[in-house]
């Protein structure tokens, strides 16, 4: 079989979905000699990776039997399907297992994501919704674009997103990239790179606000009519004495004006640069301050989200064409192509943990309540304003309710987040090895991943080339993508849907699960849903198949602008916030009365950071960016991509010289949580004091437990953010030395 890219006619309203390097290299993965071909049962110790081949009947009996046993012993709340993004097809991936367990009386739910944990919760505290984005075509109207912690040239943020930035720049926008790394985006898309010390962006943003306020560059009219809490006159009733955002910026209460000089010492960005970027953003309007997610996967991730959105409001860039409100920025007005139509059903257990806290739910589930971010009462699922707002409400009010059980059974479908993608791998591995905690682990994947090595039962799944599927454009773009089976399943592989249907049969739920449909009929079912909602012209599946095309799109001729009606008339079209305005001061946060969750956007220093107590032993900040070679851990075993993008520890020339390290040397990277030995790349494309280990390499410990492949999560920590209970994986400090010493 050959793979080709989309070659429909091209244009701004309806661009071709141009294949990325990972897509083009997919055949090497599809026909990989290490594909799982048969069900496997563990024979060695858990995590050791020794298995024996078994038949499908034995495998399905075992899984169904364990689900029943654990349910009967501990209740449905002991069953758990972890976060997993491996499949973006409606009828494959983890939702197929969720549907089954929900029919079987439910399971412990998850909400939020590893991707957008903090931004998903922080955005509604400002705007009341996560649908804060204009459609990308509108970037062509921008005059300034700040790519803040945003790297779309390398990380796929909707197909063609980087192309739209390029077009905007060709049309006259000035583009500035603010990132500790001279990323591919900084190199290829930007006029200027501003390196910044990781975790300090909120300080630079605050100093920009200082410049804008003290030089009178703010849009005072917009602030007066559309915002809450920028100035002391704008405080909500009952909070008149609390500090407003300008009190914080000007230092009227704490005596510290947040000047560019103040921020320079924190961020490492020269004060003149901060002043210039502030003036440019406030005067070269309209402007986009795009908030990437790298900087919110950190200890105080919520603050940087709120600060960036506040800058957009302060400069009146909200609700205008060419502007950008900031925040999570799903497309207005309806969230864009980002839906799950496959019916997982209601979860009778009615409790969902923040996805990042699953190891906590293994160790101390029965102690976990709303203060741990647990949502009770039926709010389940991934992202969304509803769950985010419910979580904030829940923090302040502990009803005394707890989870009914610790996690006792894990069924991981399309997930490498049990081990590889979750933080602090060595800790996770210790927890999973203890069979007195999680009693049964089933993993469904294409390869024996680091997660699958911890399974008691491994089930081989088909790839999206081997079964029916259908997906959408993910976040930006407006299209439905059909994925028909193109090749026969490898070995004995079965689709996720078929596996779940067969387990359902054994639990007496066969008919309830399938409703009489096979994979193809569920695709038809999904198309009908979309035809009734967003894509009225969607062909029938028969017609679509006959056309021999894979993509159905809805051209964007008049790009939507988020909050345009609110901008026009804030009284007639209030925001879904408590005040109806943009809440720079949030009363809901104020009422939490927690210094880690201030009511106005605030720079909070990271405890594990260059100014923190451990910096003498571990002086370097470590990041793991989303790299071109992989989708997380997917493709780590793809030889073409490995050849083009070998895994390296990226290290600045000055840091290397200080340690006697030369380009290409093996280096040891370590902290108290773990260590690795990998080759390094010495480069000026990362700022001094920061090292980058692209996330997603498969954890490969040697006999001493030292990772030999560069799997960053041996170094990251299980710390979560205060408000969202979101992952803070990018906040970690390490030391580096030449290896062998
Ligand atoms: N090729 C590829 N594309 C992907 C993925 C992939 O694995 N591979 N994963 C997809 C998924 S699921 C997601 S959630 C998204 C993730 O998208 P992001 O989270 O936005 O990606 P990251 O690479 O983590 O971070 C973006 C940039 O932020 C920088 N950065 C890190 N910390 C800081 C900081 O403190 N301050 C500043 N200013 N910059 C910082 C990094 O150097 C990086 O260049 O990507 C999606 N697209
Ligand atoms: N340090 C650090 N850690 C991170 C991040 C970071 O920035 N830094 N990013 C985080 C983010 S944003 C995310 S989204 C997570 C991602 O974490 P995961 O969702 O675990 O993502 P993947 O590593 O891509 O693992 C997906 C697995 O699904 C399998 N798979 C693919 N298709 C199918 C299918 O159709 N069926 C089945 N059964 N299996 C399939 C793949 O082989 C792969 O093993 O990682 C998080 N971890
Ligand atoms: Mo993600």
């Amino acid at each position: 079989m050959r793979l080709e890219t989309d070659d429909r006619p091209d244009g701004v309203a309806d661009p071709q979905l141009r294949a990325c390097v990972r897509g083009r290299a997919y055949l090497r993965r599809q026909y990989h000699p290490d594909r799982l071909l048969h069900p496997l049962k563990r024979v060695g110790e858990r995590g050791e990776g020794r298995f024996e081949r078994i038949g499908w009947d034995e495998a399905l009996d075992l899984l169904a039997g364990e689900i029943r046993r654990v349910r009967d012993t501990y209740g449905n709340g002991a069953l758990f399907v972890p976060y997993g993004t491996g499949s973006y097809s409606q009828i494959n991936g983890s939702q197929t297992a969720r549907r089954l367990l929900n029919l079987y009386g439910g399971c412990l739910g998850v909400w939020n994501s590893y991707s957008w944990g903090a931004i998903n919760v922080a955005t509604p505290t400002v705007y009341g919704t996560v649908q804060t984005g204009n459609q990308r075509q509108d970037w062509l109207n921008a005059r300034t674009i700040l790519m803040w912690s945003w790297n779309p040239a390398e990380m796929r943020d909707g197909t063609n997103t980087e192309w739209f930035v390029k077009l905007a720049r060709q049309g006259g926008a000035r583009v500035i990239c603010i990132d500790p790394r001279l990323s591919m985006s900084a190199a290829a898309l930007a006029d200027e790179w501003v390196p910044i010390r990781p975790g300090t962006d909120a300080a630079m943003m605050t100093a920009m606000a200082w410049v804008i306020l003290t030089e009178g560059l703010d849009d005072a009219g917009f602030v007066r009519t559309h915002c809450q809490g920028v100035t002391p006159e704008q405080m909500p009733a009952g909070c008149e004495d609390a500090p407003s955002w300008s009190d914080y910026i000007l230092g009227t209460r704490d005596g510290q004006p947040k000047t560019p000089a103040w921020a320079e010492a924190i961020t490492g960005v020269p004060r003149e640069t901060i002043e210039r970027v502030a003036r440019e953003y406030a005067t070269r309007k309209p402007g986009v301050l795009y908030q990437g997610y790298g900087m919110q996967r950190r200890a105080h991730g919520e603050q940087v989200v709120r600060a960036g959105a506040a800058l957009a409001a302060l400069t009146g860039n909200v609700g205008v064409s060419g502007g950008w409100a900031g925040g999570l920025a799903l497309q207005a007005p309806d969230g864009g192509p980002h839906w799950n139509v496959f019916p997982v059903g209601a979860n009778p257990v009615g409790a969902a943990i923040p996805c990042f806290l699953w190891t906590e739910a293994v160790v101390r589930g029965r102690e976990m309540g709303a203060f741990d971010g647990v949502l009770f009462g039926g709010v389940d699922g991934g992202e969304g304003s509803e769950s985010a707002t419910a979580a904030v409400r829940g923090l302040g009010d502990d009803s005394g309710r707890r989870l009914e059980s610790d996690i006792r059974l894990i069924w991981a479908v399309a997930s490498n987040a049990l081990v590889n993608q979750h933080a602090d791998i060595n800790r996770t591995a210790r927890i999973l090895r203890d069979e007195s905690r999680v009693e049964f682990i089933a993993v469904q994947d294409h390869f024996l991943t680091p997660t699958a090595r911890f399974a008691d039962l491994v089930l081989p799944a088909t790839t999206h080339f081997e079964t029916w599927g259908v997906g959408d454009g993910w976040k930006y773009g407006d299209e439905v993508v059909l994925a028909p089976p193109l090749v026969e399943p490898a070995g004995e592989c079965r689709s996720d849907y078929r596996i779940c249907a067969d387990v359902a049969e054994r639990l007496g739920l066969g008919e309830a699960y399938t409703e009489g449909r096979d994979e193809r009929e569920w695709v038809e079912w999904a198309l009908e849903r979309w035809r009734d909602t967003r894509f009225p012209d969607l062909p029938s599946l028969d017609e679509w198949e006959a056309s021999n095309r894979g993509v159905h799109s809805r051209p964007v001729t008049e790009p939507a602008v988020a909050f345009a009606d609110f901008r026009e008339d804030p009284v007639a079209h209030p925001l879904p916030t408590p005040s109806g305005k943009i809440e720079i001061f949030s009363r809901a946060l104020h009422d939490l009365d927690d210094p880690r969750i201030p009511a106005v956007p605030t720079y909070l220093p990271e405890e594990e950071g260059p100014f923190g107590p451990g910096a003498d032993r571990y002086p370097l900040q470590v990041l793991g960016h989303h790299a071109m070679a992989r989708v997380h851990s997917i493709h780590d075993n793809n030889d073409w991509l490995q050849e083009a993008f070998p895994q390296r520890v990226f290290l600045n020339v000055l840091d290397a010289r200080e340690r006697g390290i030369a380009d290409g040397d093996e280096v040891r990277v370590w902290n108290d949580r773990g260590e690795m030995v990998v080759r390094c790349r010495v480069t000026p494309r990362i700022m001094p004091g920061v090292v980058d280990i692209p996330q997603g390499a498969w954890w490969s410990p040697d006999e001493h437990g030292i990772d030999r492949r560069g799997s960053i999560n041996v170094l990251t920590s299980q710390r979560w953010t205060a408000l969202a209970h979101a992952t803070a994986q990018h906040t970690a400090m390490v030391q580096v030395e030449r290896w062998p010493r």
Side-chain angles (χ1 to χ4, degrees), residues 42 44-49 358-359 362-363 410 418-419 424-441 450-451 453-456 699-706 714:
R42 171 165 72 90
E45 298 286 305
R46 194 184 270 166
E48 209 186 326
W358 71 266
T359 45
V362 171
V363 179
I410 294 176
L418 270 201
V419 180
D424 200 348
I425 286 180
N426 291 311
R427 172 180 183 263
T428 314
R430 276 193 302 277
I431 291 171
L432 291 178
R433 267 186 212 115
D434 181 352
E435 289 176 49
S436 73
R437 295 186 193 274
V438 183
E439 296 177 5
F440 189 73
I441 302 176
T451 288
R453 293 173 68 88
F454 277 79
D456 302 306
W699 178 47
S700 309
D702 65 13
E703 66 275 23
H704 308 294
I706 302 173
V714 300

Side-chain angles (χ1 to χ4, degrees), residues 568-584:
E568 190 107 321
D569 187 344
V571 178
H573 304 284
L575 296 182
T577 54
S579 64
K581 296 187 174 181
I582 302 173
E583 299 205 341
I584 310 302

Side-chain angles (χ1 to χ4, degrees), residues 271-486:
R271 64 197 74 175
E272 302 77 26
T273 306
I274 298 175
E275 283 163 7
R276 186 167 44 75
V277 174
R279 288 179 196 134
E280 224 168 299
Y281 175 60
T283 59
R284 242 183 100 89
K285 291 204 281 191
V288 172
L289 191 170
Y290 192 104
Q291 303 182 287
Y293 323 120
M295 65 180 167
Q296 56 88 57
R297 220 172 280 113
R298 307 194 65 97
H300 303 293
E302 295 94 355
Q303 297 310 313
V304 76
V305 176
R306 289 181 40 81
L311 274 178
L314 186 67
T315 51
N317 272 307
V318 178
V320 291
S321 172
W324 189 256
L328 183 51
L330 295 186
Q331 275 179 54
D334 58 358
H338 189 74
W339 338 265
N340 201 354
V341 293
F342 183 75
V344 295
N347 184 349
V349 165
I353 56 170
C355 61
F356 187 64
L357 267 64
W358 71 266
T359 45
E360 297 306 296
V362 171
V363 179
R364 56 173 183 96
R366 281 165 300 173
E367 297 164 15
M368 288 174 73
F371 45 84
D372 284 308
V374 177
L375 292 178
F376 293 109
V379 189
D380 208 336
E383 282 104 10
S385 319
E386 196 194 336
S387 45
T389 308
V392 175
R393 234 190 351 258
L395 282 184
D397 129 67
D398 180 26
S399 57
R401 219 177 137 181
R402 301 287 182 271
L403 296 182
E404 71 173 292
S405 171
D406 301 344
I407 292 173
R408 295 292 186 175
L409 177 145
I410 294 176
W411 183 6
V413 181
S415 169
N416 200 0
L418 270 201
V419 180
N420 214 70
Q421 295 305 109
H422 189 66
D424 200 348
I425 286 180
N426 291 311
R427 172 180 183 263
T428 314
R430 276 193 302 277
I431 291 171
L432 291 178
R433 267 186 212 115
D434 181 352
E435 289 176 49
S436 73
R437 295 186 193 274
V438 183
E439 296 177 5
F440 189 73
I441 302 176
V443 175
Q444 208 162 296
D445 206 299
H446 305 147
F447 293 101
L448 198 64
T449 62
T451 288
R453 293 173 68 88
F454 277 79
D456 302 306
L457 175 68
V458 179
L459 300 174
T462 51
T463 67
H464 57 287
F465 299 122
E466 297 168 342
T467 183
W468 276 100
V470 61
D472 60 62
W474 194 61
K475 195 169 173 209
Y476 296 116
D478 227 343
E479 57 269 329
V480 179
V481 183
L482 191 66
L486 303 173

Side-chain angles (χ1 to χ4, degrees), residues 115-132:
S115 319
W116 302 339
I119 200 169
N120 175 47
V121 174
T123 306
T125 66
V126 181
Y127 289 112
T129 172
V130 291
Q131 294 169 11
T132 59

Side-chain angles (χ1 to χ4, degrees), residues 586-608:
S586 161
R587 165 117 214 208
L589 300 187
H590 176 77
D591 290 348
L592 293 176
D593 194 23
D594 181 337
R596 299 168 309 157
I597 312 176
V600 295
T602 304
Y603 164 67
L604 300 174
E606 296 180 344
E607 189 172 301
E608 184 170 345

Side-chain angles (χ1 to χ4, degrees), residues 662-707:
D663 186 40
D665 280 353
E666 286 213 306
V667 293
R668 171 173 175 249
V669 189
W670 81 100
N671 61 21
D672 288 343
R673 293 178 289 265
E675 58 185 309
M676 64 170 70
V677 170
V678 214
R679 278 191 200 292
C680 74
R681 180 95 172 86
V682 175
T683 171
R685 286 183 59 168
I686 187 163
M687 66 185 283
V690 185
V691 295
D692 174 47
I693 307 168
Q695 65 102 15
W698 284 17
W699 178 47
S700 309
D702 65 13
E703 66 275 23
H704 308 294
I706 302 173
D707 170 58

